[in-house]
Amino acid sequence: TTKNNDLFRQNMKAENEILTTKEVAEYLHLHPFTVKKFARERKIPAFKIGSDWRFHKKYIEKWIEKKLKGNYR
């Protein structure tokens, strides 16, 4: 149905969403400098486009889940 197709497209869009440093900082309640430092040190999944860091929302969420599992074992 059309409703199911729309929901599928919304889920795919959210899953493939690319975030900026500022957006990740707001999402994680961190300072943007901290997010950039984590990206440089490969402590958070990230990639560069030119000189700007970008973050795949799906991988940020998986990273959070991994961190939570590691902290509560």
Side-chain angles (χ1 to χ4, degrees):
T1 67
T2 302
K3 185 177 180 182
N4 286 342
N5 287 340
D6 289 343
L7 288 173
F8 177 75
R9 280 191 210 104
Q10 287 174 346
N11 285 339
M12 288 302 292
K13 182 181 178 189
E15 213 174 85
N16 293 318
E17 189 173 356
I18 303 297
L19 305 173
T20 65
T21 300
K22 182 180 176 186
E23 290 168 331
V24 172
E26 290 171 0
Y27 185 59
L28 298 177
H29 302 283
L30 295 171
H31 194 281
F33 289 140
T34 303
V35 174
K36 288 179 186 179
K37 180 177 183 265
F38 283 0
R40 272 194 318 273
E41 295 173 352
R42 300 188 185 275
K43 292 183 179 179
I44 192 170
F47 61 97
K48 276 192 136 181
I49 297 180
S51 61
D52 297 324
W53 287 103
R54 292 293 184 263
F55 306 83
H56 200 294
K57 187 172 184 180
K58 177 174 71 173
Y59 295 127
I60 296 298
E61 290 172 348
K62 286 181 180 185
W63 176 77
I64 292 168
E65 287 175 23
K66 184 179 174 185
K67 289 288 189 184
L68 288 173
K69 287 179 185 176
N71 289 338
Y72 293 109
R73 278 192 189 165

